[in-house]
Amino acid sequence: MERLLSKKERNTYEHLCCLTERGVMQMMTMFLKSRYKNVIVTPAYIIAVGDMPIGLCAHADTVFSKPPNPNEFYYDQEKNVIWNSDGAGADDRAGIFSILDILRHYPNLRPYVFITTGEEMFCIGSNKLCVHYPEFPYKLKYLIQLDRRGHNDSVYYDCANVDFEQYINSFGFETAHGSFTDISVLAPHFGCASVNLSIGYFDEHTQIERLYVSSMFATIDKVVKMLQDETNAPYFEYKERLYPTVYAIDNGNVTCHNCLREIEVTEALPLYSEELNKHINICLECYAKFYDRIAWCSTCYKGFLFTQPVDQNKQYTCDDCKPKKVQYAGLKNIKK
C-alpha cells in the first residue's frame, strides 16, 4: 500500500517550500541541534557530525526568486502527487524533507548531514565548505545526495567506483546520468564515492513541477536500509573517471573570461569583477587559480573577484548587504 502524506507531513513539506533559503538554514540548524551534539553552522552550509560514517546531502536553495503562494498547494491523494501552481521548489525541498523524515522516524540513525546553499548557482556552499576544510577531518564510507528527478535514478557523475555503483543499485536503483551538483564538488574533496538519488520530482525549475510522494517515500525507505547496512558496507573510495563525462544541455554555452574557453552554463561560475566593474563568467579550472581572490557574501552568497587576495577566514559582506546608515537632518543638537 502506498504511503500518503499525513496532515502533519503535508504541512511540514508545504512549510519547507514556503521558506526562503535562509529560513530553511535556520530551521535545519534548530532541528539538527536538537538531535546532534556537534553541528557546524555557517551562512553557506551546515554540517551535522554523525556517529556513522555515511553522509546525507541536500541543498536549501531553489531556482525560484520568491517562495510559492501557500494557498496554491494541491495534493491529489489518488495519484499521490503534490504541486503548487507557483512552482514549489521540490528541487530540493523534497531532499530536505527526506532528511527530516529519516531522522524523525529513525532516531537511532545518526548519519552525517550536509545542508548547502547556492547549489543552483554552481554549488556556492559546497565550494565554500571545501575552502574552509582543505583537509576534511571526517572519513566517510560514502555520500548520498537526495536531489535527483525521477523515480529510481542513481547518478554518479565523475565517480567511477564500479563496486560502489553495484552496491547502490542493489537497493533498487538504476544508473542514470547528470551534469553537476554538490557531490560533484564534495566527493572528490572528501575522497569518498558518492551518488545522487531520485527523490520523486519532475519538471523541476518550472511552474508545473510536481512531486510524486510515493517515489520520495520509496527512496527514503531504500536510504534507511542503506544506513542500517552501514556495518557491512566498506569504505568506497572516490575514483575519478579517466575521461570526465560531458552531457549536452539546452541552456547554451558561455565563454570563460580568463581562458576564453567556451563552456556549458552548468560549468561556469558567475562573479562580479572589481577590476572590470561588471559581471563575468569563469570556468571551474580558472576558479581554482583565482580562489584566493574570490569572496562570497555571507548574506546574499554572490561571488566577487577582487584584484588582491582576500582573507578566506573572515566573513565578507558586499556593499549591497551592509547595513545602511540613516542620517537625520536637523537633529545634531538634540541631547540624549
Side-chain angles (χ1 to χ4, degrees), residues 262-283:
E262 190 176 82
I263 52 176
E264 292 183 353
V265 171
T266 53
E267 296 179 347
L269 195 68
L271 298 171
Y272 185 81
S273 170
E274 178 189 45
E275 180 180 11
L276 301 175
N277 195 29
K278 68 176 184 179
H279 292 277
I280 62 172
N281 292 295
I282 64 171
C283 65

Side-chain angles (χ1 to χ4, degrees), residues 82-123:
I82 188 168
W83 72 95
N84 186 294
S85 58
D86 281 344
D91 174 10
D92 188 28
R93 300 302 165 82
I96 297 288
F97 176 91
S98 298
I99 291 176
L100 289 172
D101 189 77
I102 291 169
L103 297 180
R104 280 173 173 166
H105 288 92
Y106 299 90
N108 60 316
L109 298 178
R110 285 288 189 282
Y112 283 69
V113 174
F114 302 88
I115 307 297
T116 64
T117 61
E119 189 272 349
E120 302 291 359
M121 295 183 67
F122 313 104
C123 302

Side-chain angles (χ1 to χ4, degrees), residues 6-16:
S6 67
K7 183 177 180 180
K8 181 178 179 180
E9 290 169 338
R10 178 180 175 180
N11 289 340
T12 298
Y13 175 72
E14 293 182 1
H15 177 66
L16 275 172

Side-chain angles (χ1 to χ4, degrees), residues 46-111:
I46 301 169
I47 304 174
V49 179
D51 55 18
M52 56 194 308
I54 297 174
L56 301 182
C57 179
H59 63 87
D61 60 313
T62 75
V63 298
F64 299 105
S65 59
K66 62 179 182 179
N69 184 338
N71 298 316
E72 294 297 321
F73 277 97
Y74 303 94
Y75 182 30
D76 184 337
Q77 293 190 345
E78 183 176 342
K79 296 186 181 296
N80 210 7
V81 179
I82 188 168
W83 72 95
N84 186 294
S85 58
D86 281 344
D91 174 10
D92 188 28
R93 300 302 165 82
I96 297 288
F97 176 91
S98 298
I99 291 176
L100 289 172
D101 189 77
I102 291 169
L103 297 180
R104 280 173 173 166
H105 288 92
Y106 299 90
N108 60 316
L109 298 178
R110 285 288 189 282

Side-chain angles (χ1 to χ4, degrees), residues 245-269:
T245 308
V246 177
Y247 301 99
I249 59 171
D250 297 326
N251 294 11
N253 295 335
V254 296
T255 300
C256 173
H257 178 80
N258 181 60
C259 66
L260 303 181
R261 183 167 61 91
E262 190 176 82
I263 52 176
E264 292 183 353
V265 171
T266 53
E267 296 179 347
L269 195 68

Side-chain angles (χ1 to χ4, degrees), residues 287-299:
Y287 166 69
K289 297 177 183 178
F290 295 132
Y291 81 92
D292 62 333
R293 289 169 45 193
I294 295 174
W296 302 94
C297 177
S298 60
T299 301

